Amino acid sequence: VRNTVDEFSVEEKRGLYRAIYERRDVRSQFLRDPLPAPVLGRILDAAHHAPSVGFMQPWDFIVIEDATVRAAVHANFTDANRSAAALYTGPRREIYDSLKLQGILDAPVNLCVTCDPERSCGHRLGRQTDPATVLYSAACAVQNLWLAARAESVGVGWVSILDLEALKSLLGIPAGHTVTAYLCLGFVSEFRPKPDLEEHGWERRQPLPSLLHFDGWGRHDDSRAASLFPAATAVSAE
Ligand SMILES: Cc1cc2nc3c(=O)[nH]c(=O)nc-3n(C[C@H](O)[C@H](O)[C@H](O)COP(=O)(O)O)c2cc1C
């Protein structure tokens, strides 16, 4: 049975999956070329079309290009990363120290995505039972942005190793709002085929069947899982 209502063409589907599989977290490959304003506008509008609980749209976006502001954020990262690195010892510490975990000064645009948990928009529909849905909504905006950016050949890197309270005061973010994401955006020299953390031997992608449960937790089923992924239609880029 095939439902063809408003069907995507083969090319359109390919484009969507390409954005999904070829999206990368970029830290090292940023070019300094400025982002054309309409490109940034399209990426932001994609974020603004994310799903949100009760149609609450809890997000705001702070576009940061000013070198002084970015230098202050970079200093914030350097301090936070020193503490984060101290959690590791031995070979894992060596890998950690070899990782580049941000492109704050390299990327021409930084973007802070914030979340307002008290926004009246949406009239609290859907969020009484789980306040975290507000945060998930803002994260959906980031994912939309990330995929649209890939389609525009724009790299995005998410920087979470930051003292968020210090970041909030630096950017003048109101007390009740939270920082969802601090992102670095720019054109890139290349999109690497695999996650940086995989290339550096930090972590690998887990086999999807091991994460699939059928009709209840812990009920793995190799043959049902295999039926979902006939080799001929595998689309993963890896
Ligand atoms: C919530 C979140 C926070 C992240 N924080 C950082 C970070 O601080 N520094 C960094 O280099 N990458 C960060 N990343 C990127 C992940 O390391 C990356 O998504 C993961 O290794 C998979 O690689 P890929 O995005 O290229 O597929 C973050 C990603 C997410 C979703």
Side-chain angles (χ1 to χ4, degrees):
V1 184
R2 268 184 85 197
N3 187 343
T4 53
V5 173
D6 282 336
E7 196 178 24
F8 278 29
S9 70
V10 170
E11 276 307 295
E12 287 166 341
K13 284 186 208 174
R14 213 170 266 154
L16 178 61
Y17 283 109
R18 217 186 134 194
I20 290 169
Y21 290 115
E22 296 184 17
R23 180 208 53 78
R24 283 276 76 81
D25 185 88
V26 175
R27 313 92 187 255
S28 304
Q29 292 88 17
F30 285 113
L31 302 174
R32 299 199 176 258
D33 311 48
L35 272 192
V39 174
L40 179 59
R42 286 196 292 274
I43 293 171
L44 287 168
D45 201 46
H48 188 47
H49 281 73
S52 61
V53 65
F55 201 18
M56 178 191 184
Q57 307 155 71
W59 42 72
D60 282 85
F61 306 95
I62 308 173
V63 178
I64 302 153
E65 291 169 323
D66 185 273
T68 316
V69 178
R70 288 195 289 140
V73 176
H74 187 262
N76 177 325
F77 165 81
T78 305
D79 287 346
N81 198 40
R82 199 173 298 121
S83 313
L87 292 174
Y88 303 103
T89 53
R92 186 100 343 229
R93 174 65 190 262
E94 276 172 39
I95 306 180
Y96 189 93
D97 287 339
S98 77
L99 299 171
K100 180 162 161 59
L101 296 171
Q102 51 73 37
I104 297 164
L105 300 177
D106 313 319
V109 175
N110 290 188
L111 187 72
C112 187
V113 182
T114 61
C115 179
D116 175 7
E118 298 305 328
R119 190 154 293 182
S120 59
C121 209
H123 312 284
R124 306 195 69 80
L125 187 153
R127 61 178 139 128
Q128 289 99 334
T129 44
D130 184 1
T133 51
V134 178
L135 305 177
Y136 304 152
S137 302
C140 287
V142 178
Q143 181 68 350
N144 259 21
L145 179 155
W146 216 336
L147 294 173
R150 179 63 191 87
E152 299 278 3
S153 301
V154 171
V156 174
W158 188 322
V159 189
S160 54
I161 306 162
L162 292 165
D163 175 336
L164 294 179
E165 282 310 311
L167 182 71
K168 277 177 68 174
S169 74
L170 175 71
L171 298 176
I173 297 168
H177 297 224
T178 58
V179 172
T180 300
Y182 191 90
L183 306 170
C184 305
L185 279 79
F187 291 121
V188 297
S189 55
E190 64 171 335
F191 286 96
R192 301 291 300 160
K194 289 188 172 176
D196 212 51
L197 293 186
E198 190 167 350
E199 286 197 328
H200 281 82
W202 183 266
E203 192 51 273
R204 325 171 44 172
R205 190 175 307 285
Q206 301 303 301
L208 178 51
S210 71
L211 306 173
L212 281 178
H213 314 243
F214 293 92
D215 302 317
W217 184 266
R219 296 193 194 173
H220 302 286
D221 182 330
D222 287 345
S223 66
R224 267 174 98 179
S227 73
L228 296 173
F229 312 111
T233 59
V235 273
S236 171
E238 291 174 31

